């Protein structure tokens, strides 16, 4: 088992996996870590679909377009989930407010699902396994994925996580310097431009010299290109289709 320091500070995304399966003990440890995730109100407004069926993985890979979904040992889909509490309320005759139709309700569900995925990531890393979060599971086609996974209303995909025995160990990517991440008592009031551009240059140098395929990508323009592409996503419509019609 890796240390907490190794698990958190040496983590890299893994996109290539061996055919070797995870053991039952490894899977149970990941499940237990997910279940112990801290959540808002202890409402546990999330659920996880653990996909191991090769045919379902192939369907998801074709839809989402990320090959590691097919090659990983298991693909976990993290969802915000109000169906569980709604069914409990119905059974006990407790009136359920339309909290899920508020921005805060959606935020709570997404944060809970994201925290659960981070619990899984830490567990995976501690076991010496590899994983890769796949955000495109959220943005490609929510209704098609919901049909494949048979998700009920008021359950919506937040992110996917490919997990397996790693075939590769990528270089550790440079992250923003502490002065751009940690603010003490209040947000920085000085000009951050110098630090931002310094980080942009650091990422460019990394991409030009990293092991494996190199690129000339910087950080600023490259990330903004993702934002440009994301302007075409239909997330508000997807939320409504899944039973989340934010009114306030």
């Amino acid at each position: 088992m890796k240390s907490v320091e190794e698990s958190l500070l040496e983590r890299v995304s893994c996109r290539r996996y061996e055919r070797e399966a995870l053991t039952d003990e490894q899977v149970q440890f990941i499940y237990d870590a997910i279940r112990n995730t801290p959540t808002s109100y202890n409402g546990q407004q999330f659920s996880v679909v653990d996909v191991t069926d090769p045919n379902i993985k192939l369907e998801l890979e074709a839809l989402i377009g990320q090959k590691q979904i097919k090659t990983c040992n298991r693909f976990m889909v993290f969802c915000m989930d109000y169906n569980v509490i709604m069914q409990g309320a119905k059974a006990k005759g407790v009136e359920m407010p339309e909290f899920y139709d508020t921005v805060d309700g959606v935020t709570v569900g997404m944060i809970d699902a994201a925290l659960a995925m981070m619990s899984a990531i830490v567990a995976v890393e501690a076991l010496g396994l590899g994983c890769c979060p796949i955000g495109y599971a959220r943005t490609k086609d929510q209704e098609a994925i919901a049909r494949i996974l048979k998700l009920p209303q008021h359950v919506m995909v937040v992110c996917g996580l490919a997990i397996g025995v790693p075939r590769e160990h990528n270089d550790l990517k440079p992250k923003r310097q502490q002065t751009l991440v940690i603010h003490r008592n209040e947000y920085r009031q000085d000009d951050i431009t110098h630090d931002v551009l310094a980080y942009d240059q650091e990422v460019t140098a990394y991409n030009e010299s990293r092991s494996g395929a190199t690129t000339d990508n910087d950080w600023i323009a490259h990330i903004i290109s993702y934002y440009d592409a994301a302007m075409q996503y239909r997330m508000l419509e997807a939320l409504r289709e899944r039973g989340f019609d934010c009114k306030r």
Side-chain angles (χ1 to χ4, degrees), residues 46-242:
F46 76 92
S47 59
V48 182
V49 181
D50 183 12
V51 181
T52 57
D53 186 311
N55 293 323
I56 296 177
K57 289 200 296 175
L58 279 174
E59 284 189 81
L60 293 173
E61 188 268 338
L63 185 65
I64 299 169
Q66 299 291 300
K67 63 182 180 181
Q68 56 265 43
I69 296 174
K70 176 178 65 177
T71 60
C72 68
N73 179 255
R74 57 209 320 124
F75 182 59
M76 292 189 178
V77 183
F78 291 78
C79 306
M80 65 170 167
D81 186 342
Y82 282 95
N83 176 64
V84 172
I85 190 69
M86 291 173 73
Q87 295 302 320
K90 180 180 179 181
K92 293 194 68 173
V94 177
E95 184 177 354
M96 174 75 181
E98 295 180 340
F99 179 57
Y100 47 82
D101 279 348
T102 68
V103 172
D104 190 45
V106 169
T107 301
V108 162
M110 289 192 171
I111 289 173
D112 282 2
L115 287 170
M117 186 175 71
M118 194 63 215
S119 294
I121 290 172
V122 174
V124 167
E125 291 293 326
L127 291 167
L129 301 171
C131 63
C132 181
I134 300 179
Y136 286 125
R138 180 187 70 257
T139 60
K140 286 295 184 180
D141 191 333
Q142 282 276 353
E143 282 304 291
I145 295 174
R147 285 193 295 272
I148 293 170
L149 301 180
K150 296 181 172 57
L151 303 181
Q153 282 283 284
H154 302 105
V155 178
M156 182 172 176
V157 174
V158 174
C159 199
L161 185 68
I163 303 172
V165 177
R167 183 178 290 184
E168 64 179 6
H169 187 80
N170 295 319
D171 295 339
L172 186 64
K173 291 181 179 179
K175 301 298 185 182
R176 286 184 299 159
Q177 53 269 54
Q178 184 170 304
T179 56
L180 287 175
V181 178
I182 309 298
H183 303 263
R184 300 191 179 188
N185 297 316
E186 61 181 22
Y187 200 96
R188 279 180 61 177
Q189 300 300 299
D190 61 322
D191 186 355
I192 66 172
T193 305
H194 178 271
D195 288 355
V196 175
L197 294 178
Y199 177 64
D200 187 73
Q201 292 176 348
E202 185 180 6
V203 171
T204 302
Y206 163 83
N207 286 328
E208 291 174 341
S209 61
R210 67 187 185 186
S211 61
T214 59
T215 73
D216 60 358
N217 290 336
D218 65 349
W219 181 66
I220 296 169
H222 187 61
I223 296 302
I224 288 176
S225 72
Y226 285 117
Y227 296 165
D228 284 334
M231 296 301 289
Q232 305 304 314
Y233 299 156
R234 299 166 38 252
M235 296 311 300
L236 186 59
E237 184 177 342
L239 279 164
R240 289 170 176 160
E241 289 172 345
R242 291 278 76 227

